[in-house]
Amino acid sequence: MKLTDLLFLSSLKQVPQFTLLVLALLLSPFAHSAQDQQQAEQELQELKQVINQLQKQLAENRSQQTDTEKAIQAIDVKLSAVSKELRETQLKISNNKKELNQLQKQKTEKNILKEKQRKQLSSQLRSAYIAGQEEYIKLLLNQEDPAKISRMLQYYRYLNQARIRDIDALQKTLEELQQVEEKINATTLQLTELEAQQKQQVDQQLSLKSQQTQALQDLKKEYQNQNSRLAQLRKDEQELQAIISSLQKTLEEFAPKQSLKGLAQYKNKLNWPVKGTIQHRFGSNKFANKVKWNGIVINAESGKNVQAIHNGQVVFADWLRGFGLMVIIDHGQGYLSLYGQNESLLKSTGDWVEAGEPVATVGRSGGTTEPGLYFEIRYKGKPQNPVNWIK
């Protein structure tokens, strides 16, 4: 790809930040030889100049948003970060509880072993005290059978060695038990700290959601004028289309030999990205019979996992006006799947994902009032009815 070709991208008014995408593609297995690698690095340097221009243009476009739209974006991004941190904290708490259960189990087993060893050793010592000295004196007084004396001495020697081994085993058990108890104390302390952290994150999340609700009410007031609302919706659609066109061109230029096989053979075979009811269907009226839905909206509980419908590579993961926190996955051969309105993003640009792998969590970012997932499938930039692809 020549720099003159890349400059075409800078003419777009709405283009996402996809530095990591290009880096991932240029440094991918498609660049096999050292010459290919050198050329890829040269192209990357040229591309960086264009990307800087695109980032400035993107920042300029976002600066033209209303104060309410800026507030919604800021809240959505903060909420995404907090929700992701909360998710990670909850995972750590779950792992700590599992570890604590295992440690408690080990402690119980060690205590049972300790008592068994103590009883066994106590019994041996008691027997030795009662009978040992008398038998040993009789042995010394019996001088008629030297062979028997030798065997009896050997027997007592083995018996003493066995007792020493039992004592050592008990000592080892006591040391292991102490180590387990120390781990239990450390894990319990960590769990307490994590739970306190979780409470703070939950409180922060609730506060941000409250701010989000207020911002959405303010936005609704701004959109009372139908003409301004229609203009905004069309502008949002144009921005998304510009992003998709840019991604498609980039993928075609930089990944002509990609191994992804597309979705053509998976029609009516793919799983739903999230379980729920369809609130808005593909092609139905979105606003004033002048804007149609290019995808579907699935009502779902806030925070639920949004799963990739098929394997592919994340080529966009960012906030987009009108669509909120958006993930776009390239499945190859011109097929893209889009997941919008998310509460948090679990993947970054350049990540490879498998079918069914969580890529985001359900939310209501981007100015939507109810939690749900906005879901699209596109082929060579054109919207497809997602229902035709889902089994």
Side-chain angles (χ1 to χ4, degrees), residues 128-302:
Y129 177 79
I130 295 173
Q133 295 298 326
E134 182 180 352
E135 291 295 328
Y136 190 69
I137 292 172
K138 288 181 179 180
L139 180 63
L140 292 177
L141 294 176
N142 186 1
Q143 301 293 332
E144 297 179 359
D145 192 349
K148 184 177 180 182
I149 293 176
S150 177
R151 287 195 301 273
M152 290 298 295
L153 288 173
Q154 189 67 22
Y155 167 75
Y156 278 107
R157 187 179 300 114
Y158 287 150
L159 190 60
N160 286 331
Q161 290 175 350
R163 289 170 186 158
I164 292 172
R165 285 195 298 271
D166 289 342
I167 292 172
D168 289 342
L170 178 58
Q171 181 63 31
K172 183 180 179 181
T173 300
L174 292 173
E175 291 173 356
E176 291 174 347
L177 184 58
Q178 183 179 356
Q179 292 174 1
V180 169
E181 289 176 340
E182 289 174 355
K183 287 182 180 179
I184 288 175
N185 292 335
T187 304
T188 302
L189 178 61
Q190 186 179 23
L191 185 59
T192 302
E193 292 173 351
L194 285 171
E195 287 175 340
Q197 182 179 337
Q198 177 184 236
K199 185 180 183 304
Q200 292 177 351
Q201 290 168 342
V202 168
D203 291 342
Q204 190 176 2
Q205 186 187 52
L206 291 173
S207 174
L208 286 168
K209 285 185 176 181
S210 177
Q211 295 175 39
Q212 188 182 53
T213 300
Q214 182 59 52
L216 291 175
Q217 291 175 353
D218 295 340
L219 185 65
K220 190 175 181 180
K221 292 178 183 177
E222 289 184 5
Y223 284 160
Q224 285 180 349
N225 184 306
Q226 288 198 354
N227 289 332
S228 63
R229 176 58 175 157
L230 179 60
Q232 187 59 59
L233 287 173
R234 284 176 172 169
K235 194 172 183 180
D236 294 343
E237 292 289 346
Q238 290 170 0
E239 180 175 348
L240 178 59
Q241 185 60 53
I243 287 173
I244 291 174
S245 298
S246 172
L247 290 173
Q248 288 286 169
K249 184 173 178 63
T250 304
L251 292 169
E252 289 171 3
E253 293 287 347
F254 286 96
K257 298 179 181 179
Q258 58 181 304
S259 59
L260 295 172
K261 302 301 182 183
L263 302 177
Q265 60 181 317
Y266 297 101
K267 210 162 188 179
N268 297 316
K269 296 180 180 178
L270 300 172
N271 290 323
W272 289 89
V274 67
K275 290 184 178 180
T277 57
I278 298 179
Q279 181 183 12
H280 298 294
R281 294 188 174 274
F282 176 82
S284 62
N285 179 45
K286 189 174 184 179
F287 184 79
N289 290 318
K290 295 181 180 180
V291 180
K292 305 294 183 182
W293 286 98
N294 288 327
I296 61 175
V297 176
I298 306 172
N299 280 339
E301 183 182 349
S302 180

Side-chain angles (χ1 to χ4, degrees), residues 345-373:
L345 303 179
L346 306 181
K347 298 295 179 182
S348 302
T349 303
D351 288 348
W352 291 89
V353 295
E354 296 295 326
E357 187 173 352
V359 296
T361 59
V362 173
R364 51 173 184 159
S365 60
T368 53
T369 56
E370 297 296 330
L373 173 69

